[in-house]
Amino acid sequence: MPRRYHVTSHAVAATIYGSKLWMSSGRTLAAHAIPSAGSQLGTNDTKSQAPVRIPNDMGNITKLMTIPYHPDRIFASHDDGKISIWDTKTMERLQVITVSMYGICTMTCVGEYHVWAGYNTGMIYVYDTRPEKWAVLKMWKAHTGAVTHMVVDESSLLLDEIKGRLQVVSSDSNGYIGVWDGLLTEHWKEDHLNQRAQEYCAYDEARVMICSWNIDASKPEKIVGDDDKAVREWLGTMEDPDIIVVGIQEIIDLESKKQTARSLFSRKKADQAEAEEVLTRRYKLWHDYLVRMIGENYGHNAYTVIKTDQLVGLFSCIFVRTSDINRVFNVDSTSVKTGLKVMNKSIHGNKGGIAIRFMYDHSSLCFVNCHLAAGQSHVQQRNADAEGILQSANFAPKDYADVFSHGGDGSMILDHEFCFLSGDLNYRIKMSHNDVLTLLKNPDKLKAWEKLQQHDQLLRQNSNNPLFKLLQFEEAPIRFDPTYKYDPGTDYYDRSEKKRIPAWCDRVLYKGNKIKNLYYRRYEARCSDHRPIAAGFSFQTKVTDQEKRDRLMANIEEEWRTHIDRFTKDKKARYVADYERCTLNEAFGLLEKSDWDVNDTVIKLLGSV
């Protein structure tokens, strides 16, 4: 008759380490001694010590696990995006790792040190836990609902000599499952191939000029006199760029946006059509103006527009040197609306982002034009807007070799090798209006800028917020005065009753391998309450020699077979040793004798006792 033991009530997670059963109710963590067979322990004798209460600065525990690479540790995932690490001997909390702002519903260890985490957003992330700061190896949208469970299936790898594979099976809140390659075969091969890219790639320098301006609903015809000179300089600072990217924000004013929103929500088709017509005319005005300015700066027909896109208030336009147009392919764009929300869903894009991507030679580029949430104190909303744009912008996936990063398929912004994010990010300076103006009067500009940047919200998020999704981007040093908020037509910062605090709202960020910043500056066009900014960059694009790549890949395939053979033999030996009838070294010897047939080895092992 089996005995019953009282353990943790209302348990939501459990794992075994050594001779203890670790369990959690979500808000507690307990370690229970596991009674051996025939033990006469009473029903309340399984708890080796009092349970630990989870501190209030952490969410509920959703999963417990161990990682072989980190002995004497229990890892707990939490529904607030944290992972806590506990000492198995003392039950002390050793460390808390914040990996996301989204809840972790489940996680599992695959192999010695890889952790697969499933989120309430439907995303699965794979982490390498060896570095102090866990590295993201791969991420993808696995499910439309929350990822509720994940199970590692090693049985095929151990027992199927023909089709042996290691699978991770995930399930979601909608009742669907996904089956994934737990060995990350393609990631392993691509990683090893990329480490030897110099052997099969030729490189060429690409130069890109990124121009951004919140125009405060200005029309091109308003740009005259000194403003015309400033805008020509804005659109022509870089000598002979390969790519010119122009991002405009607030192409219509706020009152027009509200009217546009009312029109778009109107049941009357006439109102909707009228609003769309107004916007279309404004986009065309700016498109034609930019084409004319670029032509006058660099020569008519020297550059060709390869893509434009728009969202209410946002306009993006990308030029490529006409003589290099054959180096460009698979141009695509997508947009994400933030701003006005109904039932927690963004339905009107008075804020948001436009992402345009394309392949240049055999490299992938993505340019994002953003307008994030306004308001001095709305830092978290800006953070959420930025993350929403990066996570929600979707392109059609592409099956290209060596074009995207981190094993991605090009469906997400961060899959691309070179990413540039610019626009009115709206991060402010957390100081008083008078204190900022006093500092800006300091003749030692470098000292003033340094002091102001200590209170810049974007830079502070980079320093203090490990969840900040823009943390993976870089920014060149800011060596110019704040670009917002001016009284239009003047050099005076806001003199209205509101006295908005000057700020570096307008920014250019970048992400990619060995990107070199050439300049980063503002321009003195005064027709808007923002000054335009621009930045120049150079980086190396690649052209792949397919024959050399194929020969190298054949060698890597052989290296993979050697790697997986060692991995499989180790797994088989540990599986046999787990029967506790032989040591690990003896298991290797027994499997050698049976030509690595696990079934045959286990039968002989058990029959010999």
Side-chain angles (χ1 to χ4, degrees), residues 440-561:
L440 288 173
K441 292 175 184 175
N442 187 337
D444 187 345
K445 282 291 190 181
L446 286 176
K447 187 175 181 180
W449 294 332
E450 181 182 355
K451 179 67 174 178
L452 289 170
Q453 286 166 31
Q454 292 173 8
H455 302 276
D456 176 79
Q457 292 173 345
L458 176 57
L459 297 177
R460 287 176 67 87
Q461 288 297 300
N462 279 334
S463 300
N464 302 329
N465 183 0
L467 296 180
F468 190 44
K469 292 304 178 184
L470 296 181
L471 191 60
Q472 47 203 314
F473 286 82
E474 297 179 71
E475 183 179 21
I478 301 172
R479 298 290 183 263
F480 50 84
D481 281 350
T483 54
Y484 170 89
K485 175 183 178 31
Y486 284 92
D487 292 337
T490 76
D491 289 325
Y492 294 105
Y493 286 107
D494 187 14
R495 294 175 294 181
S496 71
E497 290 183 4
K498 292 184 178 180
K499 284 188 166 53
R500 294 178 183 87
I501 300 167
W504 286 287
C505 290
D506 308 282
R507 312 290 270 265
V508 180
L509 312 180
Y510 57 96
K511 177 181 180 294
N513 186 37
K514 296 181 180 178
I515 296 176
K516 182 180 179 182
N517 174 250
L518 304 176
Y519 67 91
Y520 188 26
R521 53 166 293 194
R522 59 175 256 172
Y523 300 81
E524 300 312 311
R526 296 174 174 84
C527 57
S528 167
D529 58 352
H530 289 250
R531 294 293 195 256
I533 62 167
F537 301 93
S538 67
F539 50 92
Q540 297 290 311
T541 60
K542 65 181 183 294
V543 176
T544 301
D545 185 319
Q546 197 61 42
E547 289 187 5
K548 289 182 180 178
R549 182 192 179 278
D550 290 346
R551 287 196 297 270
L552 181 58
M553 180 54 87
N555 295 335
I556 289 174
E557 293 278 2
E558 185 60 37
E559 292 173 10
W560 167 254
R561 283 189 286 271

Side-chain angles (χ1 to χ4, degrees), residues 138 174 180 236 320 341 458 552 562 569 594:
K138 192 174 176 65
N174 296 324
W180 317 99
V320 169
K341 295 188 176 184
L458 176 57
L552 181 58
T562 301
K569 286 179 177 177
S594 64

Side-chain angles (χ1 to χ4, degrees), residues 57 59 78-83 96-104 119 125 127 133 136 379-380 382-388 390-391 414 427 458 460-473:
D57 62 348
H78 298 259
D79 62 8
D80 60 352
K82 296 184 175 73
I83 293 176
V96 176
I97 301 172
T98 303
V99 293
S100 177
M101 65 182 291
Y102 297 110
I104 307 171
Y119 286 87
Y125 278 66
Y127 299 96
K133 183 179 180 182
V136 177
V379 178
Q380 295 309 315
R382 288 189 271 279
N383 292 355
D385 283 355
E387 179 161 3
L390 292 175
Q391 297 280 19
L414 296 179
Y427 287 97
L458 176 57
R460 287 176 67 87
Q461 288 297 300
N462 279 334
S463 300
N464 302 329
N465 183 0
L467 296 180
F468 190 44
K469 292 304 178 184
L470 296 181
L471 191 60
Q472 47 203 314
F473 286 82

Side-chain angles (χ1 to χ4, degrees), residues 1-22:
M1 184 73 180
R3 293 180 62 87
R4 294 187 302 169
Y5 299 93
H6 184 266
V7 287
T8 300
S9 300
H10 308 295
V12 297
T15 191
I16 292 176
Y17 186 80
S19 61
K20 290 185 178 179
L21 171 66
W22 289 72

Side-chain angles (χ1 to χ4, degrees), residues 5-66:
Y5 299 93
H6 184 266
V7 287
T8 300
S9 300
H10 308 295
V12 297
T15 191
I16 292 176
Y17 186 80
S19 61
K20 290 185 178 179
L21 171 66
W22 289 72
M23 302 184 76
S24 174
S25 65
R27 298 308 306 169
T28 62
L29 183 64
H32 306 276
I34 301 174
S36 58
S39 169
Q40 298 301 310
L41 286 175
T43 57
N44 293 316
D45 292 335
T46 60
K47 293 183 181 178
S48 54
Q49 59 190 91
V52 175
R53 183 76 184 170
I54 303 303
N56 291 331
D57 62 348
M58 304 180 65
N60 294 327
I61 289 177
T62 57
K63 188 74 175 181
L64 297 173
M65 70 174 186
T66 59

Side-chain angles (χ1 to χ4, degrees), residues 230-495:
V231 170
R232 289 176 186 275
E233 186 183 10
W234 174 57
L235 295 172
T237 299
M238 180 180 280
E239 182 179 350
D240 197 28
D242 299 291
I243 301 164
I244 300 172
V245 179
V246 183
I248 292 173
Q249 307 88 43
E250 285 203 40
I251 209 163
I252 53 174
D253 63 41
L254 293 173
E255 289 304 313
S256 294
K257 285 180 187 175
K258 292 175 183 176
Q259 180 60 46
T260 301
R262 287 193 289 269
S263 299
L264 290 173
F265 299 147
S266 171
R267 295 179 181 274
K268 296 179 181 179
K269 291 184 178 179
D271 288 346
Q272 294 182 20
E274 182 181 353
E276 291 292 345
E277 186 179 348
V278 170
L279 288 169
T280 301
R281 284 200 304 267
R282 190 65 60 88
Y283 295 138
K284 188 173 189 312
L285 272 176
W286 274 97
H287 169 271
D288 294 348
Y289 176 77
L290 293 172
V291 169
R292 179 166 64 84
M293 287 292 104
I294 297 297
E296 292 179 7
N297 275 342
Y298 293 102
H300 294 289
N301 301 319
Y303 289 85
T304 299
V305 175
I306 62 166
K307 189 68 176 177
T308 64
D309 203 354
Q310 60 272 339
L311 201 59
V312 179
L314 286 166
F315 180 66
S316 293
C317 185
I318 295 186
F319 299 78
V320 169
R321 190 189 296 111
T322 302
S323 59
D324 290 337
I325 204 72
N326 61 341
R327 299 171 69 178
V328 176
F329 60 100
N330 268 315
V331 183
D332 197 3
S333 68
T334 186
S335 59
V336 176
K337 299 177 183 179
T338 61
L340 184 60
K341 295 188 176 184
V342 174
M343 299 297 288
N344 206 34
K345 182 178 180 182
S346 295
I347 57 175
H348 175 55
N350 63 328
K351 295 289 191 295
I354 297 169
I356 298 178
R357 72 94 176 270
F358 55 92
M359 312 305 142
Y360 191 84
D361 294 333
H362 294 159
S363 295
S364 55
L365 283 62
C366 188
F367 299 92
V368 185
N369 174 21
C370 290
H371 194 183
L372 306 185
Q376 178 74 21
S377 62
H378 294 168
V379 178
Q380 295 309 315
Q381 184 58 52
R382 288 189 271 279
N383 292 355
D385 283 355
E387 179 161 3
I389 291 166
L390 292 175
Q391 297 280 19
S392 303
N394 286 312
F395 299 100
K398 299 293 181 182
D399 187 19
Y400 295 141
D402 314 324
V403 170
F404 302 112
S405 60
H406 305 300
D409 59 6
S411 61
M412 301 180 71
I413 289 172
L414 296 179
D415 287 346
H416 297 80
E417 291 176 289
F418 301 100
C419 296
F420 298 87
L421 187 145
S422 60
D424 182 358
L425 305 190
N426 252 321
Y427 287 97
R428 307 302 174 91
I429 295 173
K430 195 175 181 181
M431 295 177 69
S432 72
H433 183 269
N434 288 337
D435 286 347
V436 173
L437 292 183
T438 299
L439 277 170
L440 288 173
K441 292 175 184 175
N442 187 337
D444 187 345
K445 282 291 190 181
L446 286 176
K447 187 175 181 180
W449 294 332
E450 181 182 355
K451 179 67 174 178
L452 289 170
Q453 286 166 31
Q454 292 173 8
H455 302 276
D456 176 79
Q457 292 173 345
L458 176 57
L459 297 177
R460 287 176 67 87
Q461 288 297 300
N462 279 334
S463 300
N464 302 329
N465 183 0
L467 296 180
F468 190 44
K469 292 304 178 184
L470 296 181
L471 191 60
Q472 47 203 314
F473 286 82
E474 297 179 71
E475 183 179 21
I478 301 172
R479 298 290 183 263
F480 50 84
D481 281 350
T483 54
Y484 170 89
K485 175 183 178 31
Y486 284 92
D487 292 337
T490 76
D491 289 325
Y492 294 105
Y493 286 107
D494 187 14
R495 294 175 294 181

